Each structure stands twice: as structure tokens, then as C-alpha cells.
Amino acid sequence: MRRHAASAQFRAASDQGLGSLELPAFSGDTGSEARNELDSYRAALNRHAIVGITDRAGTITEVNDLFCEISQYSRVELIGRKHSILNSGMHERQFFWTLWRTISSGETWHGDICNRAKDGSLYWVDTTIVPRHDPAGKITGYVSIRYDITQRKQVESALLEENRKRQSAENLLRDVIEALPNGVAAFDANDRLILFNSAYRELYPRAAAVIAEGASLRSILRHALEQGQFADVAADPSVREAWLAARLKEHLGPSRPIIQHLSGDRWVQVQERRSASGHVVGVGTDITELKRAERRIKEQSEIDPLTGLYNRRVIGDRLARALKADHGFALLLLDLDSFKLVNDTLGHDAGDDLLIKVGARLRGTVRRTDVIARLGGDEFALILRNIEVEADARRMAEKLLRALAVPVRIGGRNVVPSGSIGIALYPRDGTTPTELMKHADLALYQAKAQGRRTFALYRPEMRSSVERLAGVTQALRVAIARDRIDVALQPQVDLRSGRHVGFEALARWERGTTRVPPSEMIAAAEEAGLIVQLGYHLIDKALAAHRDLLDEGLEPGRLGLNVAAAQLREPGFARRLLAMAKRRRLRPGWLEIEVTENVVLDRSGEAIATTLRELDAAGVSIALDDFGTGYASLSHLKRFPVHRLKIDRSFIRNVATDCDDAIIARAIASLAHSLGMEVVAEGVETEEQYRFVASHGCDFAQGYLISMPMFLPEARAYLVGRGDGAIVAAKPAGPAQPPAAAAA
Ligand code: C2E
Ligand code: CA
Ligand code: CA
């Protein structure tokens, strides 16, 4: 614009013949031809260039028309003024300083200058300043030749501005993505990385070396794979390639979040979006904390908070998993013996403590890969892997029972934990979780019925026996009413003399062709509230049998009566028992009450103790049954008038082979003696056991070796046959002499 206006004015001025600037003549001798040539240059220069001349102090001495035109000053206004009249204030001091230094030293200066016109507007000129010299070489002034570059400058500055804006937008973008906690990476249509932040690099530290602008996604991923960045991708090259292909395909496809499990147990969620222009922007978020919390929640929902073992919910799932593997395994259900008593007598904290310790023992006994769960209460389930044959399952069950039986301090008391185990084997005993659980449970039931501290393997016959038991309670009522329940007598002998000393009365109920195990019957009676009634019925049967033997002129000795806690809690029990004995003309001194040690720990301990003292005062002796399986301590027993301890047959079973059991049996015997009690060894089945108990401080023995429990006629024959049953026929036997051997 300015240039056009300037040219128009210039043309007008030169037409009037005023526009030409008389440039100073070049020094030296020039001919007329040369002069003409010079004149044409001068004319051309005048037409296109802004020319000004100053003296050495910068005072304007001459300007051409273009000078006036662009500066809007008239020649008159300019001549005699300092050139600085045109200063725009747009340049630093330094700028003019350099300029002046250059020209005053005789050099030509060239550069762009911004000047200010008379109306205050700015214009840019490409400027060359040439010093003029006098013949002596002294600077006399300066010639400046300028070209209007205002328009170019405007374009340039517009471009610059635009650039600056773009740059700052880009910087802003970088600042923004850098400030994001997420990893951000943008790829162009060819999957080359064009923009990313440091969080992106930090997400994949093992690939950091190759994360750079221009790198392809494929190369980044491959490097990351080689460096083991992805925790869930196997090192196998073919697996890696397949993974890589799938990942790149995902990169192409519609966006859906990808979850990556990285080395160092970190988790990243990646969300990618492809724009219309083909760019892919991926945002990676570290979700490690989330994943860990998720895992914790899942674990917590699977863990029994008390023992730290798995809980009931897990076992079905783990069974289903184990079924998928084609190895055999064993499912063991373990139930603690007399756990309820620990809770009732030592308190719930003690009960919890016991469960924790038992849990730790189980965990410490099996392999790490085996599964242990607490199903609730005192019930545990174990899945033991790679068990193919029954013998392995047996060995493990024995190992677990042994581990359990180490005495432990609970609630300030030494307790010997024990449990019953039921075992079902896969695939032999079932092929579904439900079936295996049901069968292991039947086996457990069987183990409990067999007595404590033992295990049982599932057998198909168990099914029918349990189905039969469903109606046991109902049948029991009928059986009591019809007097179908009897007692059998099992003899006991003195281990020093070998002589018969008494019988224990054991309940017998033949239902059809099968016998209901007494422990089951007692349990059913307790549940049905029939125990007191059944108890008196059994006592009366036993007393009657005893009377009968006496009436035959035989000496049956002491009569052991098993009495359940519920019976002892019954008020007036002692009086009623004594009355019943009196009716049969039996002296209380012939009677012995057998109570389990758990009875003395019963909640209504005081009432029971009173009953026992009453009986004791009347001359009835008291035996502690199944000793060693419960939680009573000997010192605790001092509160009760106990005359005899019956060492549980589970100890006797192994006395000859198991060192621990031998030690326990011997310790019980010597402690009992120091408390003034006698000791009965139960369940003596072999001569070896007999000799052992005889030589290790036991006073009496009972068991199949001596005799099975017998109904009255056989018991009578037994006494007659032995000969020592009758007082008159007593004959001493050598110490520790097994009776079977003596009889042979
Ligand atoms: P218990 O009082 O410990 O009775 C001893 C059990 O051991 C009896 O089982 C007996 O048959 C068995 N036994 C005896 N000698 C041997 C042996 O050498 N080897 C083996 N393996 N076992 C032997 P039974 O008759 O099945 O009685 C089981 C339990 O039922 C009894 O254990 C007792 O706790 C309870 N019980 C039995 N009769 C009565 C009763 O009349 N009243 C009450 N309250 N409980 C009874
Ligand atoms: Ca007994
Ligand atoms: Ca017993």
C-alpha cells in the first residue's frame, strides 16, 4: 500500500523534474561515456531506492523524492536535521551503536531498519550505508540506500506470530500431557510414535530405550516383550509373536480397554482411540493399586479370618479344579474331637486359639500345593494332590493325626488336640465335588463312631448304614418301650494277678440283623432327649445282670456303668441309682460310674461334682473314661473323687509300635498313681499290648484279647470257665501273663 502510494507520488515528483537526487560524483577521472552510464544508474537508483546523504555527524544533507515520500517529510524539513528524526524506537541502543561503529570505521553497514514517518506510522527499509571519503581518505559523510520492505516485514511478522502461536499451542499440549498422571502416546496413521509423555515411558520402563518419536508401535512392543515387560506373556517366541500380532490387531480395531499385567506385578489399562485422520491416541493408566485391592478383596472373600486358611466357599471350586487335572487326589474331612467342650469350659478365646494352632499344624503337615479350608466350627477339609492309592491316603491321615496330637498350651492348660478324619478318594469314591464331599462326610461319621483320634476311608456300605440311621431316633423310642435294648458285659482283669476283677456294661441294640453302635445310639438319644430314660433302662439291665450272676454263686466283681453327662446333670441321679441298686440288693461298693473326662469339664461342673461326691460318699467308685482324648488335666481332676483312669484305646492301639503313644500311656499311669488313682488299659487286643501295659504301670486291662463284650449267658459261662470268677476258685496267675496264653 505504502509502496504504491509512494510510487505514484514519486512519478508525479519526477515528472516535475524535482525528484532526482544529485548524487555526489565518484572520485577519479571519468570520461563522458562513463558519466552517461553513471547517470542512467543514478536515474534507476532514484526511481527505486530511497537515498539519503548525511555528513559525518548524521545531519541530513540530501534526500531523494522517495525519501521524502516514504518519510512524509519535505526536503526542507529534512535537510539540516539529524537522521535520527526517523528513529522508530523499535531498535535497541546496541543496534545503532553497532551501526555507527561499523560506518565510522569506514565499513559499509547493511541491515533492516524500522523508521517512523512524520505521521507516526512505521515502515521498514532494507538499508545499506556507505561511508564517503575525501581524497585524503577521511570520512566526510554517509550515503544510505534503502528499499521499502514494509510489506515483506508484515508478512514475515505475521508468519512469525503464527509460528509463535503454534509453538506455544504445541508447548501447551506437551505441558498438558506431561502433567497427566496417565501415559499418553499418539501414533500416526503408520503406527509411528509422534507424541508421548514421560508417564508413558515410565509405564514400560523395560522399553524406555526404544520409546522415541518415530519409533513404530511394533518395534516398541517387540523390545518390551524381549525385555520381559509383560508378565503374562510366556518367553516362548511363538507365544510372543502370536501375542504381538493380536496386540497390533487390537490397535487397528475399535477401541476397547486392554488390561496388561506387567513385570513387577504392575497392571496397566490401555484405552486407544483412532481418529478420522488415522492417528491413534492411547492412554495408559496404572491400575496396580486397583488390581491389588481387587485381589485382596477376592482373597479376603476366600480366607477364613481366624485361621488364615481358605473358607468353605473355596473348597467346591478347588475340588472342581482338582477334578480337571487327571491325577488322583484325596479329600479329607477333619473334625476336632470334643471341640465344643473347649469352648464351653475354657472359653471362646481358648477355642479360637486352638483352631488357629490346629490350622497351622495342618498347614505345616501337607504340601504347599495341597488345599486346606476351614469349613466352619471345628471342621476342616483338605485336598491332597497326587494321591493315587489308599495307602498314601492312610499315611497322610496318620501323619495329620500325629501332628495334631502334640500337646499344646490353651487357656493356661495343656491340651492334646485330636481329630477324626473321613477320606474319599478321586476317582474311586466319586467324580463330582458333591459326591466326594458326601462320601468323605460319611467316612468322617464312621471315624467318629469308631472312637476319636482315628480316620476312616469311604466304603460303599457306609451309604446304606447312614440311610438306615435316618430313622434311628424314632426307632429308638420304640426299642426302649419294647425293651429291645440290652447290655453286654466285658470283663476286666488285674494285670498283676491275671484275675477277673469286674465287668463293664455296654449297651446293645440289635435292630433287625444289624447292631446300632452304642455311641450312635447314645448320640441319637441325647439329641432326642431320651438319654435319661435310656440311661436308667440300661443301668437297670446291668444291675439285673449283675444280680443274676451273684445269684448263680459267681463273683462278677465290680460293675462298670457308662453314664453320660446329661444323666449326671439330672437332679437326684445319685439317689435314684442308689435306690435302684438297693432294690436289686447290690452294695454300692460293687458299682463303678464311668464318665468321660469331658464330663468333668462340663459347664454344669459343680452340679456334676456334687452328684459324683454323693456317689463317692455312698461307696460307688468313679472311673474316668477315654482318658487322654479330651482336655481335662490331671490337676483339674483333683476337684473330683476319681478312683480310676481308663486310658483310651486309641493310645493302647499303638503302644507297642508308636513311641509317643507308649510315652503318653506310661506318663498317664505314673501320674495317676501319684494322685492315688488306679489305671485301666482299654482295648487290649494283642499279647504285645497286654505285656506292655502290664509292665508300664497299668493296674487293669480290658479288651478283645481278654474277651469281647458278652450277653448274660456267655458272661456266666465265662466266669465259670475261667474259674477265677468265683471267689472260691481263685487262683493266682503270674504277673504280666496274658490270660489267653494262660488259658491256652
Ligand atoms: P467305652 O465306654 O470306651 O466302651 C468301650 C468300647 O470299646 C466298647 O465299644 C467296646 O466294645 C470296645 N472295645 C472293648 N474292647 C475292645 C478292643 O479290644 N478293641 C476295640 N477296638 N474295641 C474294644 P462299644 O460297645 O461300641 O461302645 C462304644 C461307646 O459307647 C462306649 O465307649 C461308651 O462311650 C458308649 N456306651 C456304650 N454303652 C453305653 C451305655 O450304656 N451308656 C452310655 N452312656 N454310653 C455307653
Ligand atoms: Ca466306658
Ligand atoms: Ca473308654
Side-chain angles (χ1 to χ4, degrees):
M1 288 282 274
R2 174 177 288 279
R3 170 159 285 207
H4 290 148
S7 322
Q9 272 183 34
F10 168 72
R11 263 194 310 279
S14 44
D15 290 349
Q16 288 159 23
L18 299 169
S20 63
L21 167 70
E22 277 313 307
L23 286 172
F26 287 92
S27 54
D29 195 21
T30 40
S32 72
E33 219 172 291
R35 179 166 294 277
N36 282 345
E37 205 179 329
L38 266 179
D39 282 348
S40 72
Y41 287 153
R42 211 174 278 163
L45 197 62
N46 264 327
R47 207 168 306 132
H48 297 292
I50 300 153
V51 184
I53 299 172
T54 64
D55 64 11
R56 20 181 324 208
T59 306
I60 298 171
T61 55
E62 188 55 274
V63 294
N64 71 352
D65 291 341
L66 277 181
F67 197 118
C68 296
E69 195 182 323
I70 199 164
S71 68
Q72 294 168 20
Y73 289 105
S74 69
R75 182 173 279 107
V76 176
E77 280 172 314
L78 288 168
I79 298 206
R81 299 291 296 273
K82 288 275 187 192
H83 200 287
S84 56
I85 187 178
L86 299 175
N87 278 2
S88 62
M90 295 296 281
H91 299 283
E92 304 283 324
R93 271 179 108 84
Q94 175 74 21
F95 178 83
F96 291 109
W97 194 75
T98 313
L99 188 158
W100 272 106
R101 205 180 44 179
T102 309
I103 58 178
S104 60
S105 65
E107 306 274 321
T108 298
W109 182 90
H110 181 250
D112 294 349
I113 299 182
C114 182
N115 281 341
R116 191 179 295 278
K118 191 178 174 184
D119 70 353
S121 65
L122 300 174
Y123 61 94
W124 278 90
V125 278
D126 169 301
T127 305
T128 307
I129 303 174
V130 185
R132 296 171 65 197
H133 303 90
D134 62 10
K138 204 178 145 222
I139 292 173
T140 55
Y142 305 95
V143 179
S144 67
I145 300 152
R146 298 158 199 254
Y147 296 97
D148 183 358
I149 55 165
T150 307
Q151 213 158 39
R152 193 189 89 203
K153 278 283 176 192
Q154 274 168 351
V155 171
E156 261 177 28
S157 74
L159 278 175
L160 264 175
E161 177 63 9
E162 203 171 298
N163 240 341
R164 203 188 53 75
K165 275 190 190 153
R166 183 171 329 121
Q167 196 62 50
S168 79
E170 220 164 85
N171 286 344
L172 181 64
L173 177 64
R174 281 181 197 279
D175 286 351
V176 168
I177 69 165
E178 202 53 51
L180 288 176
N182 312 51
V184 177
F187 294 87
D188 65 12
N190 299 318
D191 285 347
R192 301 222 161 246
L193 187 57
I194 48 176
L195 182 72
F196 65 94
N197 61 0
S198 31
Y200 175 67
R201 212 182 238 150
E202 282 153 18
L203 282 184
Y204 306 103
R206 297 195 181 185
V210 295
I211 293 178
E213 271 169 36
S216 71
L217 176 61
R218 180 187 292 273
S219 69
I220 295 173
L221 289 173
R222 175 160 289 137
H223 188 81
L225 278 174
E226 280 161 7
Q227 299 299 313
Q229 180 71 84
F230 298 99
D232 49 357
V233 186
D236 183 336
S238 65
V239 173
R240 277 191 192 161
E241 282 310 307
W243 183 90
L244 186 61
R247 173 70 184 87
L248 288 169
K249 202 169 151 204
E250 247 165 341
H251 190 63
L252 285 177
S255 76
R256 82 190 153 75
I258 305 166
I259 307 274
Q260 296 170 338
H261 188 193
L262 303 182
S263 63
D265 195 25
R266 284 187 313 114
W267 294 83
V268 170
Q269 175 174 327
V270 178
Q271 177 83 56
E272 292 180 332
R273 197 181 298 272
R274 192 173 282 271
S275 72
S277 59
H279 288 117
V280 174
V281 177
V283 177
T285 309
D286 190 311
I287 53 164
T288 305
E289 279 314 308
L290 204 72
K291 275 281 175 187
R292 291 197 185 146
E294 191 181 293
R295 195 186 301 159
R296 269 197 300 278
I297 289 166
K298 186 173 178 315
E299 278 169 4
Q300 274 163 12
S301 75
E302 290 189 334
I303 296 295
D304 164 44
L306 181 66
T307 58
L309 302 173
Y310 285 123
N311 61 26
R312 170 177 284 279
R313 270 194 294 275
V314 180
I315 202 75
D317 170 66
R318 295 304 139 95
L319 269 179
R321 268 194 226 175
L323 288 170
K324 281 197 199 107
D326 38 37
H327 296 291
F329 64 87
L331 170 65
L332 274 65
L333 293 183
L334 183 150
D335 195 294
L336 290 185
D337 299 330
S338 323
F339 176 71
K340 195 175 159 302
L341 268 146
V342 175
N343 264 342
D344 289 353
T345 57
L346 304 181
H348 284 273
D349 286 348
D352 285 354
D353 199 15
L354 180 63
L355 289 173
I356 292 167
K357 289 186 166 126
V358 164
R361 283 180 183 185
L362 297 179
R363 184 74 271 175
T365 308
V366 302
R367 280 177 295 209
R368 276 189 62 81
T369 47
D370 293 334
V371 176
I372 309 185
R374 180 172 160 238
L375 302 181
D378 58 341
E379 246 190 285
F380 297 83
L382 298 94
I383 301 174
L384 306 182
R385 304 267 244 278
N386 293 324
I387 290 208
E388 307 280 353
V389 292
E390 212 178 275
D392 290 344
R394 284 176 184 281
R395 228 188 337 270
M396 278 310 294
E398 276 160 8
K399 197 171 157 194
L400 286 164
L401 290 177
R402 258 202 313 277
L404 273 190
V406 178
V408 65
R409 196 110 187 121
I410 299 286
R413 189 169 298 166
N414 278 331
V415 162
V416 181
S418 79
S420 306
I421 297 178
I423 307 171
L425 294 177
Y426 169 82
R428 193 190 74 181
D429 301 335
T431 50
T432 65
T434 326
E435 209 177 4
L436 287 166
M437 281 298 270
K438 197 174 126 197
H439 291 170
D441 199 46
L442 288 181
L444 172 61
Y445 191 86
Q446 179 81 13
K448 290 218 154 252
Q450 278 168 7
R452 289 144 277 233
R453 231 160 71 101
T454 187
F455 65 90
L457 282 130
Y458 170 75
R459 298 276 176 257
E461 311 84 81
M462 289 176 185
R463 231 177 344 193
S464 54
S465 80
V466 165
E467 276 152 19
R468 192 191 67 217
L469 277 166
V472 80
T473 309
Q474 182 51 29
L476 186 63
R477 272 179 226 279
V478 178
I480 297 169
R482 296 198 184 153
D483 192 17
R484 291 280 154 78
I485 300 174
D486 203 354
V487 292
L489 301 172
Q490 189 176 32
Q492 295 175 352
V493 294
D494 183 319
L495 280 165
R496 267 175 302 271
S497 64
R499 285 183 53 164
H500 172 85
V501 288
F503 286 111
E504 175 181 2
L506 293 160
R508 288 293 175 265
W509 177 22
E510 314 287 337
R511 250 187 105 195
T513 54
T514 47
R515 170 180 302 162
V516 179
S519 45
E520 229 164 75
M521 184 193 343
I522 301 303
E526 275 181 333
E527 208 151 292
L530 294 172
I531 185 66
V532 175
Q533 190 190 347
L534 175 66
Y536 286 128
H537 174 87
L538 287 166
I539 289 169
D540 196 47
K541 285 270 165 196
L543 296 178
H546 200 78
R547 178 75 261 159
D548 202 284
L549 293 171
L550 287 172
D551 289 349
E552 302 263 343
L554 297 163
E555 177 50 78
R558 209 168 32 229
L559 175 63
L561 299 167
N562 289 289
V563 177
Q567 292 172 269
L568 290 173
R569 277 198 296 266
E570 179 73 5
F573 174 80
R575 252 169 296 129
R576 181 147 173 203
L577 176 69
L578 293 171
M580 286 165 80
K582 194 170 178 195
R583 203 164 51 241
R584 299 272 180 197
R585 290 173 290 114
L586 296 176
R587 273 188 277 140
W590 285 335
L591 302 183
E592 177 161 272
I593 294 295
E594 289 193 11
V595 297
T596 65
E597 56 176 318
N598 296 330
V599 165
V600 300
L601 293 173
D602 193 273
R603 242 174 317 190
S604 27
E606 239 351 275
I608 288 176
T610 309
T611 300
L612 293 180
R613 272 184 226 118
E614 235 176 292
L615 290 169
D616 174 49
V620 177
S621 61
I622 287 144
L624 207 57
D625 209 355
D626 304 342
F627 192 80
T629 60
Y631 301 101
S633 68
L634 282 170
S635 60
H636 191 249
L637 296 184
K638 281 199 275 191
R639 289 174 47 213
F640 298 92
V642 177
H643 306 98
R644 246 177 295 280
L645 293 184
K646 297 186 80 176
I647 301 180
D648 191 68
R649 62 180 189 274
S650 60
F651 294 100
I652 304 303
R653 191 161 51 208
N654 301 320
V655 278
T657 50
D658 187 319
C659 196
D660 287 348
D661 282 356
I663 290 168
I664 291 171
R666 202 163 39 204
I668 292 174
S670 72
L671 278 167
H673 289 151
S674 71
L675 291 168
M677 299 174 192
E678 290 173 322
V679 178
V680 184
E682 278 190 325
V684 175
E685 292 179 358
T686 66
E687 297 187 9
E688 228 179 341
Q689 291 164 351
Y690 187 95
R691 269 192 292 269
F692 182 93
V693 297
S695 57
H696 287 88
C698 293
D699 305 292
F700 307 100
Q702 177 183 351
Y704 294 165
L705 178 70
I706 298 138
S707 169
M708 299 283 287
M710 302 165 283
F711 288 115
L712 184 60
E714 299 153 270
R716 200 181 288 136
Y718 170 85
L719 287 180
V720 173
R722 276 188 68 93
D724 66 352
I727 303 159
V728 283
K731 65 168 195 247
Q737 190 65 16

